């Protein structure tokens, strides 16, 4: 491997010429896209169809401009020198065509098949590559090149085989910015295999801390959007993250790869119009996450289809009608037979009830006739039934016995009524029932969202009125379209001879009223992601789930409903499971929803955590009941982790002082604390440190669950004994906290250090 960075280096100068030419091509492509965008905006609009065409063209060119703008940063990743080709093949963020369409592209998109050897070629399997060169840029200037000659002599190593080791190490040791960045230039072979894996089925990526599983999942999303553009452009791609903090952290990655049409959401945002941020105990969340909640909700719905024990009496036009429980039970059966969905069965229930009351009414008034003759014929009875159905007393009885329900109303009524909970949870313990109880009006929590969605599936939505309105609108549109065609036909030229008139084409010759009405319909200009976010029934072409080990069985049920093809990328680490409802084994978590239709890939190399810190974390992992092994770190930071004992009354001042010290060393800082200390620690840090201009670089105070998936240059871990004690899976929480740092780790403890951290006890090292 060679590294050239000197300004006079001829290799550097040659690459600068090539990179400058590629940027020239990028600028030309962008100028062309801007020109086409302006042309699209200038298209004349003569009807709704032309407006839709204009908006579609403008959206396409706007997306192209966005992708080219994103590619401007570090456009060129590197190049491949091949055995049988005289010209090098340059790899970059986007593809750029060459002047000769028959030859290689001027720049190959990193996702294209031709670029794969850049990430996978090895000296033992060079794939036709003689040399791989990594090119580093600052702006549009080449600052360094790192070469790998793919020969057997270059393979000796004591650790994992790394592609572009110099470029990789430069990226790993760089200061963090508070936002995740892409890893296009440093993708490793085991990561590339996952990124380019088949989109079919559920791919589970198990990876320990720092293995890059989140980055791999996001790059896989970009790769699938590139490879299956037509399909995913229509159906969309969903990325599900564990917390709002995590979603903000990863928000820049896909746009930096030129992909802006992806929906990012947490579990609490997967129901349109709802942002569920309420909190509840881990035990409550675990109960709500059980598959048994399907039966609970089914029972809760059926309980709202009631038959009063004493029956009911109604007075219709002075006639007293008695409805016995057996009568009402038959009416309820009619509603249930009509539809398994509660709200869709209600119209049949209402019709059956109206028919029952009508029959009783006719029987009463017919019985008053002396000769017993029939007073009403069939049409009279039908008209009477329609009138009875609109009687206020009848409508009120329908609402009482078979109410229209929303999922929100169903769950609110269930949670706020101990009697309803008891009736719906046969066989449950009183302790578990008590966990479901809460007052009406309580905020919705993320664990409620799968239940609301499940309730939607049980209740259904009676859209007959909406469909009737839509049918009326279509009839009206067709009538107006026909009037337009008739008017155009009547206003055709009258100056033509009979033979000429027969040859003249009119609008009526080219389309009928139905086609014209369709062209005049309203056009939806929202992006795929915007439409998907607003539509509860939307199904995605692919779903990426991060920190998937935290999801409950009900959450998996929701996600599979959103992606019935089961094309999913699921990433997580069983050793970091911090939820009572989370997974202990992937098969156990996935089998109820996807059966055997999943496959496992593993990431084994830790790129984030230095060996000094990972040794401490590995002790914690070994003391837990985790079935996974700690990943192998590839680098040392030279900064041994530091432990410091502090008296309780001095803990908060010391937290503030240590945070300021770490912030002064540069990069990002996280203070990870047990939940009981979060508020006080946040105040202490805020009071001690001045406000930062860039909030992404300001020190943050997090509990372990919030820190999951994030990384920082420095981490201050406070009171590890309380982290162990307060976490529902304490060792997992401590493992997460210890593995967030890329450079430095400091541990403050007011009492005895937990025995799993004995490796820190006698460490006299100080921070650099």
């Amino acid at each position: 491997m060679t590294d050239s960075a000197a300004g006079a280096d001829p290799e550097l100068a040659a690459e600068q010429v090539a990179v400058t030419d590629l940027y020239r091509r990028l600028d030309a492509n962008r100028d062309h896209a801007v020109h086409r965008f302006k042309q699209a905006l200038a298209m004349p609009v003569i009807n709704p169809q032309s407006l839709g065409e204009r908006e579609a063209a403008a959206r396409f060119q706007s997306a192209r401009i966005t992708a080219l703008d994103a590619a401007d940063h570090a456009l060129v990743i590197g190049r491949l020198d091949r055995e049988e080709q005289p010209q090098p093949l340059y790899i970059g963020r986007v593809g750029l065509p060459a002047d000769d369409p028959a030859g290689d592209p001027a720049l190959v998109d990193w996702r294209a098949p031709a670029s794969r050897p850049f990430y996978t070629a090895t000296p033992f399997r060079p794939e036709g590559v003689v040399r791989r060169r990594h090119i580093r840029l600052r702006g549009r200037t080449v600052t360094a090149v790192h070469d790998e000659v793919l020969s057997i002599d270059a393979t000796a190593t004591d650790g994992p085989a790394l592609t572009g080791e110099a470029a990789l190490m430069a990226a790993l040791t760089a200061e963090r910015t508070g936002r995740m960045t892409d890893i296009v230039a440093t993708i490793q072979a085991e990561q590339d295999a996952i990124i380019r894996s088949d989109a079919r089925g559920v791919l589970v990526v198990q990876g320990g801390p720092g293995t890059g599983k989140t980055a791999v999942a996001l790059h896989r999303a970009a790769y699938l959007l590139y490879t299956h553009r037509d399909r995913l452009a229509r159906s969309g791609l969903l990325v599900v993250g564990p917390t709002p903090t995590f979603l903000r952290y990863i928000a820049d990655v896909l746009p930096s790869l030129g992909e802006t049409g992806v929906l990012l959401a947490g579990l609490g945002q997967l129901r349109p119009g709802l942002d569920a941020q309420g909190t509840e105990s881990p035990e409550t969340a675990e109960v709500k996450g059980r598959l048994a909640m399907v039966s609970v909700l089914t029972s809760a719905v059926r309980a709202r289809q009631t038959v009063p024990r004493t029956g009911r009496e109604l007075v219709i036009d002075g006639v007293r009608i008695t409805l016995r429980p057996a009568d009402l039970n038959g009416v309820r059966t009619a509603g249930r037979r009509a539809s398994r969905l509660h709200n869709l069965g209600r119209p049949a229930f209402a019709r059956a009830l109206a028919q029952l009351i009508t029959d009783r009414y006719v029987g009463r008034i017919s019985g008053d006739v002396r000769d017993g003759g029939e007073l009403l014929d069939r049409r009279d009875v039908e008209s009477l039934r329609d009138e009875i159905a609109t009687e206020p007393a009848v409508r009120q009885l329908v609402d009482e016995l078979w109410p229209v329900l929303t999922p929100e109303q169903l769950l609110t009524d269930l949670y706020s009524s101990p009697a309803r909970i008891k009736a719906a949870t046969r066989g449950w313990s009183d302790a578990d029932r008590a966990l479901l109880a809460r007052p009406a009006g309580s905020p919705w929590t993320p664990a409620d969202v799968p239940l609301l969605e499940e309730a939607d599936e049980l209740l259904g939505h009676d859209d007959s009125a909406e469909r009737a309105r839509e049918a009326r609108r279509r009839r009206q549109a067709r009538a107006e379209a026909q009037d337009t065609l008739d008017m155009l036909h009547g206003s055709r030229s009258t100056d033509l001879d009979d033979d000429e008139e027969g040859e003249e084409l009119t609008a009526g010759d080219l389309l009928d009223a139905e086609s014209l009405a369709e062209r005049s319909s309203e056009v939806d200009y929202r992006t795929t992601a915007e439409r998907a976010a607003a539509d509860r029934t939307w199904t995605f072409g692919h779903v990426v789930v991060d920190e998937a080990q935290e999801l409950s069985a009900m959450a998996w049920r929701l996600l599979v409903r959103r992606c019935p093809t089961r094309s999913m990328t699921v990433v997580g680490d069983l050793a970091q499971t911090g939820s009572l409802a989370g997974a202990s084994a992937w098969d156990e978590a996935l089998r109820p929803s996807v059966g055997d239709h999943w496959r496992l890939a593993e990431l084994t190399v830790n790129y984030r955590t230095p060996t000094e810190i990972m040794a401490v974390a590995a002790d914690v992992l070994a003391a837990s009941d985790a079935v996974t092994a700690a990943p192998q770190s590839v680098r040392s930071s030279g900064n041994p982790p530091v432990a410091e004992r502090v008296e309780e009354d001095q803990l908060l001042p010391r937290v503030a002082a240590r945070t300021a010290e770490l912030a002064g060393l540069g990069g990002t800082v996280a203070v990870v604390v047990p939940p009981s200390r979060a508020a006080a620690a946040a105040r202490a840090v805020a009071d001690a440190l001045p406000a930062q201009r860039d909030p992404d670089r300001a020190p943050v105070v997090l509990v372990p669950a919030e820190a999951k998936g994030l990384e920082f240059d420095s981490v201050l871990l406070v009171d590890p004994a309380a982290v162990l004690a307060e976490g529902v899976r304490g060792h997992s929480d401590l493992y997460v906290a210890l593995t967030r740092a890329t450079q430095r780790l400091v541990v403050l403890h007011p009492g005895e250090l937990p025995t799993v951290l004995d490796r820190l006890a006698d460490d006299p090292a100080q921070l650099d």
Side-chain angles (χ1 to χ4, degrees):
M1 178 178 295
T2 64
D3 184 346
S4 301
D9 192 308
E11 293 285 345
L12 214 62
E15 292 299 355
Q16 184 64 65
V17 171
V19 167
T20 299
D21 178 67
L22 291 170
Y23 269 110
R24 176 188 62 79
R25 294 174 185 273
L26 178 74
D27 292 339
N29 275 262
R30 188 185 186 284
D31 290 343
H32 180 69
V34 170
H35 177 69
R36 296 297 296 272
F37 177 72
K38 292 179 179 178
Q39 281 185 325
L41 293 182
M43 288 172 58
V45 175
I46 57 176
N47 56 37
Q49 181 191 12
S50 62
L51 176 61
E53 291 171 348
R54 185 186 77 172
E55 293 298 323
R59 278 201 306 271
F60 176 82
Q61 296 301 335
S62 177
R64 178 63 175 161
I65 293 168
T66 299
L68 294 171
D69 283 343
D72 193 284
H73 171 70
L75 170 66
V76 183
I77 299 166
R79 85 179 207 193
L80 295 174
D81 295 348
R82 299 162 293 175
E83 290 179 350
E84 299 179 359
Q85 300 292 333
Q87 297 299 321
L89 186 68
Y90 281 90
I91 313 298
R93 292 179 175 275
V94 294
L96 296 175
D99 297 330
D100 179 7
D104 289 328
L107 187 66
V108 176
D109 191 298
W110 68 274
R111 296 167 288 190
S115 71
R116 186 162 193 174
F118 186 78
Y119 302 110
T120 60
T122 68
F124 286 107
R125 193 176 64 179
E127 301 181 43
V129 177
V130 176
R131 180 176 65 174
R132 173 170 45 219
R133 169 169 287 181
H134 291 259
I135 299 173
R136 294 180 61 189
L137 303 178
R138 181 178 296 113
R140 297 189 171 195
T141 302
V142 178
T143 60
V145 296
H146 305 291
D147 286 344
E148 293 174 276
V149 178
L150 300 185
S151 63
I152 297 296
D153 294 339
T155 63
T157 178
D158 294 328
L162 303 177
T163 299
E165 185 171 354
L168 174 63
M169 290 304 169
L172 296 180
T173 56
E175 284 188 358
R176 271 40 185 179
T177 64
R179 296 278 185 147
M180 177 177 279
T181 56
D182 66 69
I183 59 168
V184 171
T186 59
I187 292 171
Q188 299 300 296
E190 69 169 1
Q191 297 172 328
D192 185 78
I194 293 170
I195 290 171
R196 297 176 194 263
S197 180
D198 194 331
R200 291 173 294 184
V202 177
L203 173 63
V204 177
V205 182
Q206 162 68 41
T211 54
K213 54 187 178 293
T214 297
V216 166
L218 296 175
H219 286 68
R220 176 165 165 77
Y223 170 78
L224 293 176
L225 287 165
Y226 173 87
T227 309
H228 306 284
R229 178 71 63 184
D230 291 342
R231 177 173 65 86
L232 292 180
R234 294 190 303 270
S235 58
L237 191 149
L238 171 67
V239 176
V240 180
T243 64
T245 301
F246 177 85
L247 292 173
R248 287 193 297 271
Y249 176 63
I250 68 170
D252 293 341
V253 175
L254 286 168
S256 75
L257 299 172
E259 302 295 348
T260 57
V262 178
L263 178 62
L264 273 65
L267 184 63
Q269 292 80 50
L270 287 181
R271 183 169 176 79
L274 176 64
D275 185 7
Q277 297 190 34
T279 58
E280 59 195 349
S281 71
E283 292 76 15
T284 297
E286 187 273 329
V287 166
K288 290 180 179 179
R290 297 175 186 172
L291 277 180
M293 288 301 299
V294 176
S295 297
V296 171
L297 294 176
T298 301
S299 297
V301 170
R302 292 179 70 86
R304 305 304 292 269
Q305 302 161 2
T306 57
V307 173
R309 292 181 179 179
T310 58
R312 284 288 186 272
E313 282 193 353
L314 298 177
V315 177
I316 306 295
D317 289 340
V319 177
R320 186 175 298 278
I321 307 295
T322 300
L323 303 175
R324 297 169 302 173
D327 300 326
L328 294 174
N329 189 62
V331 173
R332 180 174 67 177
T333 299
R336 288 178 172 175
R337 286 177 177 172
S339 176
R340 67 177 184 83
L341 303 181
H342 174 85
N343 289 331
L344 299 189
R346 174 185 157 101
F349 174 84
R351 288 193 298 271
L353 182 62
Q355 186 65 57
L356 172 64
I357 296 171
T358 301
D359 292 344
R360 294 289 169 84
Y361 182 89
V362 171
R364 286 291 305 274
I365 63 175
S366 296
D368 293 338
V369 178
R370 292 182 179 180
D371 60 4
E374 293 290 338
L375 290 178
L376 305 173
D377 61 18
R378 181 177 60 81
R379 290 186 177 179
D380 291 333
V381 172
E382 290 177 353
S383 178
L384 177 62
R385 183 190 63 203
D386 292 342
E387 291 181 14
I388 286 177
T390 62
E391 283 284 326
V394 175
R395 295 172 66 177
Q396 182 178 351
L397 186 59
V398 172
D399 289 339
E400 176 191 349
L401 304 183
W402 197 297
V404 174
L405 291 172
T406 65
E408 288 77 7
Q409 188 62 53
L410 177 72
L411 260 68
T412 295
D413 292 347
L414 175 66
Y415 291 157
S416 61
S417 169
R420 291 189 192 276
I421 292 175
K422 185 174 182 178
T425 55
R426 291 184 180 179
W428 281 39
S429 68
D430 290 340
D432 282 349
R433 287 171 176 158
L435 291 171
L436 289 181
R438 75 181 190 200
S442 299
W444 298 109
T445 70
D448 288 324
V449 172
L451 303 185
L452 290 167
E453 292 291 296
E454 190 70 33
D456 245 319
E457 296 296 308
L458 295 171
L459 294 173
H461 174 61
D462 183 5
D463 62 351
S464 56
E466 297 170 13
R467 286 188 281 108
R469 285 194 296 271
E470 177 62 16
R472 289 194 298 270
R473 187 197 67 77
R474 288 181 177 274
R475 288 195 298 270
Q476 178 67 23
R478 283 195 296 270
E480 293 174 354
Q482 188 61 58
D483 290 343
T484 300
L485 293 176
D486 292 343
M487 181 183 66
L488 292 173
H489 181 76
S491 61
R492 70 192 188 284
S493 175
T494 58
D495 296 332
L496 302 174
D497 294 335
D498 290 343
D499 291 341
E500 292 175 321
E501 182 179 346
E503 297 176 358
E504 181 186 22
L505 286 176
T506 67
D509 297 319
L510 300 175
L511 72 169
D512 56 17
E514 181 77 26
S515 300
L516 181 59
E518 186 66 27
R519 290 188 175 196
S520 301
S521 62
E522 184 178 351
V523 179
D524 191 343
Y525 304 117
R526 294 174 298 172
T527 65
T528 299
E530 289 170 337
R531 286 184 284 123
D535 185 354
R536 193 196 70 79
T537 63
W538 190 278
T539 56
F540 292 90
H542 193 81
V543 173
V544 174
V545 187
D546 207 337
E547 301 297 342
Q549 75 277 355
E550 304 298 336
L551 295 187
S552 69
M554 289 302 295
W556 281 117
R557 189 175 170 90
L558 164 60
L559 291 177
V560 170
R561 189 179 296 125
R562 286 300 192 99
C563 188
T565 61
R566 291 164 171 76
S567 176
M568 305 174 77
T569 302
V570 173
V571 300
D573 180 16
L574 296 174
Q576 297 184 59
T577 302
S579 166
L580 284 177
S584 299
W586 290 118
D587 185 66
E588 172 188 294
L590 294 170
R591 184 175 293 277
S593 297
V594 304
D596 295 327
H597 303 292
W598 65 278
R599 61 194 189 278
L600 179 67
E602 293 190 73
L603 293 171
T604 59
V605 180
N606 186 334
Y607 303 100
R608 174 207 301 149
T609 316
T611 54
E612 298 91 340
I613 297 175
M614 200 62 212
V616 178
D619 290 343
V620 175
L621 183 64
S624 70
D625 57 0
V627 296
T628 58
Q632 182 179 358
S633 296
V634 299
R635 67 186 179 89
S636 168
S637 67
N639 292 313
V642 175
E644 179 183 347
R645 182 165 183 170
V646 183
E647 295 301 321
E648 180 66 41
D649 60 353
Q650 293 299 310
L651 182 61
L652 290 178
R654 192 58 181 152
V655 167
R658 274 293 201 175
T659 303
E661 180 184 347
L662 291 170
L665 296 175
T668 55
V669 180
V671 181
V672 182
V673 298
S676 62
R677 294 189 184 273
R683 287 194 299 270
V685 171
D687 291 343
L689 274 71
Q692 297 254 346
R693 289 185 179 180
D694 183 357
D696 288 334
R697 291 181 176 271
V700 293
V701 177
L702 304 169
V703 299
E706 296 171 328
K708 197 163 293 183
L710 308 181
E711 63 180 15
F712 304 88
D713 292 282
S714 302
V715 168
L716 178 63
L717 172 58
V718 179
D719 198 354
V723 170
L724 281 171
E726 295 180 22
V728 293
R729 301 186 189 220
H731 283 84
S732 293
D733 285 354
L734 185 56
Y735 184 60
V736 169
L738 291 169
T739 54
R740 299 306 97 196
T742 66
Q743 300 293 340
R744 293 168 288 272
L745 172 67
V746 177
V747 178
L748 295 182
H749 55 105
E752 292 297 325
L753 201 63
T755 56
V756 291
L757 299 181
D758 279 348
R759 188 183 294 264
L760 292 174
D762 300 321
D763 192 339
Q766 298 298 314
L767 292 177
D768 291 341

